[in-house]
Amino acid sequence: PQVAKTMLDNSYKLLDVRFAEEYAENRIPGAKLIPLNELVSRIAELNRKQPYIVYCHSGPRSAIATLILNEHRIEALALEGGIRDWPFEIEYPSVKPGIVAVAKKFH
């Protein structure tokens, strides 16, 4: 995660390949959502000159997505541990008003 954070500060963009419901629940700020099952059909939405850091919940989906992107000549790296192990800021847009979201890690 620390290396990924540095890369994000230096031109890499985030790509979230989880389901839309997961993205609505929480996400790393600035991430673009393209669920893994839609990635091939939506690949044209990505900038081929832009490098990406891909994440999912814990890693398997982002590893597959990274392979797909690399096959399409898009530079991509998978975030080890996914959002589950991301120690930095996370948005919780689905939290109801008046309820405070607390980031906790469960392993």
Side-chain angles (χ1 to χ4, degrees):
Q2 184 60 55
V3 172
K5 179 82 165 103
T6 300
M7 295 169 95
L8 291 171
D9 293 339
N10 291 287
S11 80
Y12 278 73
K13 298 291 183 197
L14 276 170
L15 179 63
D16 187 329
V17 295
R18 299 175 302 153
F19 293 109
E21 297 81 9
E22 293 172 286
Y23 182 82
E25 188 175 300
N26 64 16
R27 60 181 164 253
I28 299 172
K32 175 178 181 65
L33 174 68
I34 300 181
L36 179 59
N37 64 334
E38 299 175 14
L39 186 58
V40 172
S41 65
R42 295 178 58 190
I43 205 127
E45 294 178 30
L46 299 173
N47 180 347
R48 292 186 183 277
K49 296 178 182 175
Q50 173 68 58
Y52 292 91
I53 294 176
V54 183
Y55 77 93
C56 60
H57 175 71
S58 61
R61 287 178 282 179
S62 59
I64 294 167
T66 298
L67 289 172
I68 292 168
L69 293 172
N70 289 330
E71 286 175 354
H72 285 86
R73 296 195 168 102
I74 296 174
E75 183 182 345
L77 301 167
L79 177 61
E80 186 176 312
I83 195 170
R84 178 192 68 189
D85 292 343
W86 184 250
F88 307 107
E89 183 182 3
I90 295 176
E91 294 176 335
Y92 295 89
S94 66
V95 174
K96 307 285 187 260
I99 297 176
V100 178
V102 178
K104 290 188 178 184
K105 292 187 175 204
F106 297 97
H107 293 281

